Amino acid sequence: MNKPKKSKEERFRESVKKEILSFFELNDDRSWSLNQVNKAFAVRDRSTKELFATLVEELTKDKKLIRQKEGNYIIDRVTEFVTGKVDHVNARFAFVVVDGREDDVWVSNQDLNGAIDGDIVKVLISAKRKKGSDRAEGEVVEILEHGRSEIVGTIELLPNYAFVTPDSKRLYQDIFVPREALKDVKHGDKVIVKITKWPLGERKMEGVIQEVLGKAGENNTEMHAILAEFGLPYHFPDGVEQEAEDISEKIPEAEIAKRKDMRGITTFTIDPIDAKDFDDALSFEQLENGNYQIGIHIADVTHYVQPNTILEQEAFKRATSVYLVDRVVPMLPEKLSNGLCSLRPNEDKLTFSAIFEITSKGKIKNEWFGRTVIHSDKRFTYEEAQEVLDLNNPPAEVPATVNETTEAATPVEEVKPKRGRKKKVEEPTTPDVPFLHELTVLNNLAHILRAERFANGAVNFETVEVKFKLDENGKPLGIYQKIRKDAHKLIEEFMLLANKRVAEYVYKLRKKEPRNTMVYRIHEAPDPEKLRTFSTFAKKFGYSVATEAAQISSSFNQLMEGIEGKPEQNILESLAVRTMSKAKYSTDPIGHFGLAFPFYSHFTSPIRRYPDMMAHRMLQHYLDGGDPLERAAWEVRCKHSSEMEKLASEAERASIKYKQVEYMSMMEEERVWDGIISGVTEFGIFVEITETASEGIVRMVDLKDDFYDFDRDNFRIVGQRNGKVYTFGDKVQVRVKECNLARRTMDLLLAGANESRGGGKKDKERFNSRHRSKSDSRGRDNRKKDYKGGKDNKHGNDRKKRK
């Protein structure tokens, strides 16, 4: 089809636009105002001036010209535009994080031009660099998308208006609320405010009260506030709940007939004591040839949650369950998560299974994947299963046999056990203890599988998990660290096995390009620069960490063994995790560095993770003989799932931080705590209290014995007169100065380091000018680009705590 001819006027406008652009190209050494452009083209009449203004604006929108702050225009020869997300780490500056760019862009507060944390912005990169750094600087020239339109905070009522102080430590200004926009709200309430006017120049944000969450400080209020702060839901829309309620609980015989019937095989679950959503079970059967048939059975969520339903849409939107300290916000309604899909004992359940024939040496002989029906005989808690395992001393891991498990498995069952009645297994050592033999064998196999992973280069991260004892009102009565024993690791190893083998099966099922599209859990090798930095810090504790690629895994594992039970264990484990890349979901099968698996997926928790539902659907599609699925659409879902996982993780950490600060606020004021310096910045040092794993800050202004300088390169502060040095990893003693629940922060004082510096008024003024908190009037702390890092995924842990 021929394109329609342009009118004479359109051709004229294009010709003039080219002339204007050529003018800027020839004069690219300076900027030009519109008047100067008009003079250069000898434009005098009003209509032509208006045309030139319009065309210059079009060239600006086309990104051919840049409009500077003073209103002049220049062609882009030296600078570049990038698009990214604002990470407002400090009241004085922010970083714009750009996908695919190694370094973030530094933007001063005055150059944000109204952008706030989380906004997607277009940034003009300048040629200059921040003093003392090679990091690029820039200026926000356009806000493409606001990251949030609703903000959580505490309201302060005044006679004629109100202010909302945001909970987020990355929002540095209060939100003005006019009196007429106030709902039935009381002074000090926690609220959600909807922004009606965004900041611009000297104008602050304005908003109206969207929802009153309750009185600040109450447990339910604060937990709902955390969910709202990260944009996470805490209730289901009515239609979602109703669609779930309409699903029949009866399993039709026709459906059972389509599946492998595993109801006659010994089956059980092992979960936390307070769990209700049992989404995985293990079956055990000893075969006539002496091998074991181990089934990993996963709730068949996709049987109940069909495509194009509102249940499906809501599951995708949430993408994950959210685990706060006192509750679970499930991905699926309770009818599904705790009922239909939960593999409760003594009930027939529909499952998607990975079944393996395994020798006593851990060698996989055969494997089968498909839909099944099971009947769980027993619901174990981790503690109950561990009590059974403790009756036998489990054998040491057997590295001599680990290579046997690497042999390829054939995807057919060569040995078929008898069906119907449950096969009688060997008599256990202690006849009165049910499932002793099954659990003992599974534990032995788990030890072998674990040894194989480490022999192949997996990293052994046993990060500390903080747990709370709460009263009926959610108040913390105690803090403890969860200890993982063999019962936890047993389940973990078989879940890892299923996830690994499902991913391998799908990838290898099609031998030619294009390969079958699959959702993978990927994890890249650590960034060399981060690795070198971590190695330097580990040396401060007397540990050596290799930075050569071939030695990273073994070196990290030696470190984990060396720090076990030491005061520095929590800090070094945490920093080691932060050194690693973040695991995420992708259709690109690049492998999982932390687990040392070339192919890995998430298949075993579809009740709480949307990617597992994706994996189930994709696997069934290929089992049915389907062609490779279109990759782009699935990649979009992977990216969304990764983003939602990050938000859920941040909310979880916020709830833990809140309870830690709340617990510390209840302790006696003068108590001295042992701690380790976990971060060093220009405005203070961060200290992690060893006993409670709670972190607080000792501000420079509270170091009274001297004036301290920040040595950025060595992550330490040094006293000017006494030469005292406080550096990362130092053991210190602290007292709690102040706990701020609203900001989830804790100010500390160094015990014995608060004597007067001496000096007169000039010394005090000098100190205050040097070390005044670099934050806004509310004292929001800022601590991003000094060595702290961000939490990464817990590698090697497929299981997550349950409800």
Side-chain angles (χ1 to χ4, degrees), residues 741-786:
L741 280 171
R743 291 190 288 123
R744 303 189 284 273
T745 60
M746 182 167 59
D747 279 17
L748 304 172
L749 298 173
L750 285 178
N754 299 302
E755 297 83 3
S756 171
R757 300 182 186 85
K761 182 178 180 181
K762 288 185 178 180
D763 264 350
K764 291 179 181 177
E765 289 175 350
R766 175 165 156 265
F767 177 83
N768 288 334
S769 66
R770 288 174 63 84
H771 297 308
R772 184 176 293 114
S773 175
K774 303 294 193 297
S775 60
D776 68 344
S777 59
R778 295 194 303 278
R780 293 182 179 276
D781 55 28
N782 36 12
R783 57 166 188 167
K784 164 92 177 192
K785 295 299 172 184
D786 301 310

Coordinates of all heavy atoms in Angstrom, one line a residue, residues 741-786:
L741 N 10.5 3.7 67.0 CA 9.6 2.7 66.3 C 9.1 3.2 65.0 O 8.9 2.4 64.1 CB 8.5 2.3 67.2 CG 8.9 1.3 68.3 CD1 7.7 1.1 69.3 CD2 9.3 0.0 67.7
A742 N 8.8 4.5 64.9 CA 8.2 5.0 63.7 C 9.1 4.9 62.5 O 8.7 4.6 61.4 CB 7.8 6.5 63.8
R743 N 10.4 5.0 62.7 CA 11.4 4.9 61.7 C 12.2 3.6 61.7 O 13.0 3.3 60.9 CB 12.4 6.1 61.8 CG 11.9 7.4 61.4 CD 12.9 8.5 61.3 NE 13.5 8.8 62.6 CZ 14.8 8.7 62.9 NH1 15.6 8.2 62.1 NH2 15.2 9.1 64.1
R744 N 11.8 2.7 62.7 CA 12.5 1.4 62.9 C 14.0 1.6 63.0 O 14.7 0.8 62.4 CB 12.1 0.5 61.7 CG 10.6 0.3 61.6 CD 10.3 -0.8 60.6 NE 10.4 -0.4 59.2 CZ 9.5 0.2 58.5 NH1 8.3 0.4 59.0 NH2 9.7 0.4 57.2
T745 N 14.4 2.6 63.8 CA 15.8 2.8 64.0 C 16.2 2.8 65.5 O 15.3 3.0 66.3 CB 16.3 4.1 63.4 OG1 15.5 5.2 64.0 CG2 16.0 4.2 61.9
M746 N 17.4 2.6 65.7 CA 17.9 2.6 67.1 C 19.2 3.3 67.2 O 20.2 3.0 66.5 CB 18.1 1.1 67.6 CG 18.5 0.9 69.0 SD 18.3 -0.8 69.5 CE 19.3 -1.7 68.3
D747 N 19.3 4.4 68.1 CA 20.5 5.1 68.3 C 21.2 4.5 69.5 O 20.6 4.2 70.6 CB 20.2 6.6 68.6 CG 20.0 7.4 67.3 OD1 19.8 6.7 66.3 OD2 20.1 8.6 67.4
L748 N 22.5 4.3 69.4 CA 23.3 3.7 70.5 C 24.4 4.6 70.9 O 24.7 5.6 70.3 CB 24.0 2.4 69.9 CG 23.1 1.3 69.3 CD1 23.9 0.2 68.7 CD2 22.1 0.7 70.3
L749 N 24.9 4.3 72.1 CA 26.1 5.0 72.6 C 27.2 4.0 72.9 O 26.9 2.9 73.4 CB 25.8 5.7 74.0 CG 24.7 6.8 73.9 CD1 24.3 7.3 75.3 CD2 25.2 8.0 73.0
L750 N 28.4 4.3 72.6 CA 29.5 3.4 73.0 C 29.7 3.5 74.5 O 29.9 4.6 75.0 CB 30.8 3.9 72.2 CG 30.9 3.5 70.8 CD1 32.2 4.0 70.2 CD2 30.8 2.0 70.5
A751 N 29.7 2.4 75.1 CA 29.9 2.3 76.6 C 31.4 2.7 76.8 O 32.3 2.2 76.3 CB 29.7 0.9 77.1
G752 N 31.5 3.8 77.7 CA 32.8 4.2 78.1 C 33.5 5.1 77.1 O 34.7 5.5 77.3
A753 N 32.8 5.6 76.1 CA 33.4 6.5 75.1 C 32.7 7.8 75.0 O 32.6 8.4 74.0 CB 33.4 5.8 73.8
N754 N 32.1 8.2 76.1 CA 31.2 9.4 76.1 C 31.7 10.6 77.0 O 31.0 11.5 77.4 CB 29.8 9.1 76.5 CG 29.2 8.1 75.5 OD1 29.1 8.3 74.3 ND2 28.8 6.9 76.0
E755 N 33.0 10.5 77.4 CA 33.6 11.5 78.2 C 33.7 12.8 77.3 O 33.8 12.7 76.1 CB 35.0 11.1 78.7 CG 35.0 9.9 79.6 CD 35.0 8.6 78.9 OE1 35.0 8.6 77.7 OE2 34.9 7.6 79.6
S756 N 33.9 13.9 78.0 CA 33.9 15.2 77.3 C 35.2 15.3 76.5 O 36.3 14.8 76.8 CB 33.9 16.4 78.3 OG 34.2 17.6 77.7
R757 N 35.1 15.9 75.3 CA 36.2 16.2 74.5 C 37.1 17.3 75.0 O 38.2 17.5 74.6 CB 35.8 16.6 73.1 CG 35.0 15.6 72.4 CD 34.7 16.1 71.0 NE 33.7 15.2 70.3 CZ 32.4 15.3 70.5 NH1 31.9 16.2 71.2 NH2 31.7 14.4 69.9
G758 N 36.5 18.1 75.9 CA 37.3 19.3 76.3 C 37.1 20.4 75.2 O 36.4 20.2 74.2
G759 N 37.8 21.5 75.4 CA 37.6 22.5 74.4 C 36.5 23.5 74.8 O 35.6 23.1 75.6
G760 N 36.5 24.6 74.2 CA 35.5 25.6 74.4 C 34.4 25.7 73.4 O 34.2 24.8 72.6
K761 N 33.9 26.9 73.3 CA 32.7 27.1 72.4 C 33.1 26.9 70.9 O 32.4 26.3 70.1 CB 32.2 28.5 72.5 CG 31.0 28.8 71.7 CD 30.5 30.2 72.0 CE 29.3 30.6 71.1 NZ 28.8 31.9 71.3
K762 N 34.4 27.3 70.5 CA 34.8 27.2 69.2 C 34.9 25.7 68.8 O 34.6 25.3 67.7 CB 36.1 27.9 68.9 CG 36.0 29.4 68.9 CD 37.3 30.1 68.6 CE 37.1 31.6 68.5 NZ 38.4 32.3 68.2
D763 N 35.5 24.9 69.7 CA 35.6 23.5 69.5 C 34.2 22.8 69.2 O 34.1 22.0 68.3 CB 36.3 22.8 70.7 CG 37.8 22.6 70.4 OD1 38.2 22.9 69.3 OD2 38.5 22.2 71.4
K764 N 33.2 23.2 70.1 CA 31.9 22.7 69.9 C 31.3 23.1 68.6 O 30.7 22.2 67.9 CB 31.0 23.1 71.1 CG 31.4 22.5 72.4 CD 30.5 23.0 73.5 CE 31.0 22.4 74.9 NZ 30.2 22.9 76.0
E765 N 31.5 24.4 68.2 CA 30.9 24.8 66.9 C 31.6 24.1 65.8 O 30.9 23.7 64.8 CB 31.1 26.3 66.8 CG 30.2 27.1 67.7 CD 30.5 28.6 67.6 OE1 31.5 29.0 67.0 OE2 29.7 29.4 68.2
R766 N 32.9 23.9 65.9 CA 33.6 23.2 64.9 C 33.2 21.7 64.7 O 33.0 21.2 63.6 CB 35.1 23.2 65.2 CG 36.0 22.4 64.3 CD 37.5 22.8 64.5 NE 38.4 21.8 64.1 CZ 38.9 20.9 65.0 NH1 38.6 20.9 66.3 NH2 39.7 20.0 64.6
F767 N 32.9 21.1 65.9 CA 32.5 19.7 65.8 C 31.1 19.6 65.2 O 30.8 18.8 64.4 CB 32.5 19.1 67.3 CG 31.9 17.7 67.3 CD1 32.7 16.7 67.0 CD2 30.6 17.5 67.6 CE1 32.2 15.4 67.0 CE2 30.1 16.2 67.6 CZ 30.9 15.2 67.3
N768 N 30.2 20.5 65.7 CA 28.8 20.4 65.2 C 28.8 20.7 63.7 O 28.0 20.1 62.9 CB 27.9 21.4 65.9 CG 27.7 21.0 67.3 OD1 27.7 19.8 67.6 ND2 27.4 22.0 68.2
S769 N 29.6 21.6 63.2 CA 29.6 21.9 61.7 C 30.2 20.7 60.9 O 29.8 20.5 59.8 CB 30.4 23.1 61.4 OG 31.8 22.9 61.7
R770 N 31.2 20.0 61.5 CA 31.8 18.9 60.8 C 30.9 17.6 60.8 O 30.8 16.9 59.8 CB 33.1 18.5 61.5 CG 34.2 19.5 61.2 CD 35.4 19.1 62.0 NE 36.0 17.8 61.6 CZ 36.8 17.7 60.6 NH1 37.2 18.7 59.9 NH2 37.2 16.5 60.3
H771 N 30.2 17.4 61.9 CA 29.5 16.1 62.1 C 28.0 16.2 62.3 O 27.4 15.3 62.7 CB 30.1 15.4 63.3 CG 31.6 15.0 63.1 ND1 32.0 14.4 62.0 CD2 32.7 15.3 63.9 CE1 33.4 14.2 62.1 NE2 33.8 14.7 63.2
R772 N 27.5 17.3 61.9 CA 26.0 17.4 62.0 C 25.4 16.4 61.1 O 25.9 16.2 60.0 CB 25.5 18.8 61.5 CG 24.0 19.0 61.7 CD 23.7 20.5 61.3 NE 24.2 21.4 62.3 CZ 25.1 22.3 62.0 NH1 25.7 22.4 60.8 NH2 25.6 23.1 62.9
S773 N 24.3 15.7 61.5 CA 23.7 14.6 60.8 C 23.3 15.1 59.4 O 22.7 16.1 59.2 CB 22.5 14.1 61.5 OG 21.8 13.2 60.7
K774 N 23.8 14.4 58.4 CA 23.5 14.8 57.0 C 22.1 14.3 56.6 O 22.0 13.4 55.8 CB 24.6 14.2 56.1 CG 26.0 14.6 56.4 CD 26.2 16.1 56.2 CE 27.7 16.5 56.2 NZ 28.4 16.2 57.4
S775 N 21.1 14.8 57.2 CA 19.8 14.3 57.0 C 18.8 15.5 57.2 O 19.2 16.6 57.4 CB 19.4 13.2 57.9 OG 19.5 13.6 59.3
D776 N 17.5 15.2 57.1 CA 16.6 16.3 57.2 C 16.3 16.5 58.7 O 16.9 16.0 59.6 CB 15.3 15.9 56.4 CG 14.5 14.8 57.1 OD1 15.2 14.1 57.9 OD2 13.4 14.6 56.8
S777 N 15.3 17.4 58.9 CA 15.0 17.8 60.3 C 14.5 16.7 61.2 O 14.6 16.7 62.4 CB 13.9 18.9 60.3 OG 12.7 18.4 59.7
R778 N 14.1 15.6 60.6 CA 13.6 14.4 61.4 C 14.8 13.5 61.6 O 14.6 12.4 62.2 CB 12.5 13.7 60.7 CG 11.2 14.5 60.5 CD 10.1 13.6 60.2 NE 10.3 12.9 59.0 CZ 10.1 13.4 57.8 NH1 9.7 14.6 57.6 NH2 10.3 12.6 56.7
G779 N 16.0 13.8 61.1 CA 17.1 13.0 61.4 C 17.1 11.7 60.7 O 17.6 10.7 61.3
R780 N 16.5 11.6 59.5 CA 16.5 10.3 58.9 C 17.9 9.9 58.5 O 18.6 10.6 57.9 CB 15.6 10.4 57.6 CG 14.2 10.6 57.9 CD 13.4 10.6 56.6 NE 12.0 10.8 56.8 CZ 11.2 9.8 57.1 NH1 11.6 8.6 57.2 NH2 9.9 10.1 57.4
D781 N 18.3 8.7 58.9 CA 19.7 8.3 58.6 C 19.8 7.8 57.2 O 18.9 7.6 56.5 CB 20.1 7.1 59.6 CG 19.2 6.0 59.6 OD1 18.6 5.8 58.5 OD2 19.1 5.2 60.6
N782 N 21.0 7.9 56.7 CA 21.3 7.6 55.3 C 22.6 6.8 55.2 O 23.6 7.2 55.7 CB 21.5 8.9 54.5 CG 22.2 10.0 55.4 OD1 22.7 9.7 56.4 ND2 22.2 11.2 54.9
R783 N 22.5 5.6 54.6 CA 23.6 4.7 54.6 C 23.6 3.8 53.5 O 23.5 2.6 53.6 CB 23.5 3.9 55.9 CG 22.2 3.1 56.0 CD 22.3 2.1 57.1 NE 21.1 1.3 57.1 CZ 21.1 0.1 57.8 NH1 22.2 -0.3 58.5 NH2 20.1 -0.6 57.8
K784 N 23.8 4.3 52.3 CA 23.7 3.3 51.2 C 25.0 2.9 50.7 O 25.4 1.8 50.7 CB 22.8 3.9 50.1 CG 23.0 3.3 48.7 CD 22.0 2.2 48.5 CE 22.2 1.6 47.2 NZ 21.1 0.8 46.7
K785 N 25.8 3.9 50.2 CA 27.0 3.5 49.4 C 28.2 3.3 50.2 O 29.3 3.0 49.6 CB 27.2 4.6 48.3 CG 26.0 4.6 47.3 CD 25.8 3.3 46.6 CE 24.6 3.2 45.8 NZ 24.4 1.9 45.2
D786 N 28.2 3.6 51.5 CA 29.3 3.1 52.3 C 29.1 1.6 52.5 O 28.0 1.1 52.2 CB 29.3 3.8 53.7 CG 29.4 5.3 53.5 OD1 30.3 5.7 52.7 OD2 28.6 6.1 54.0

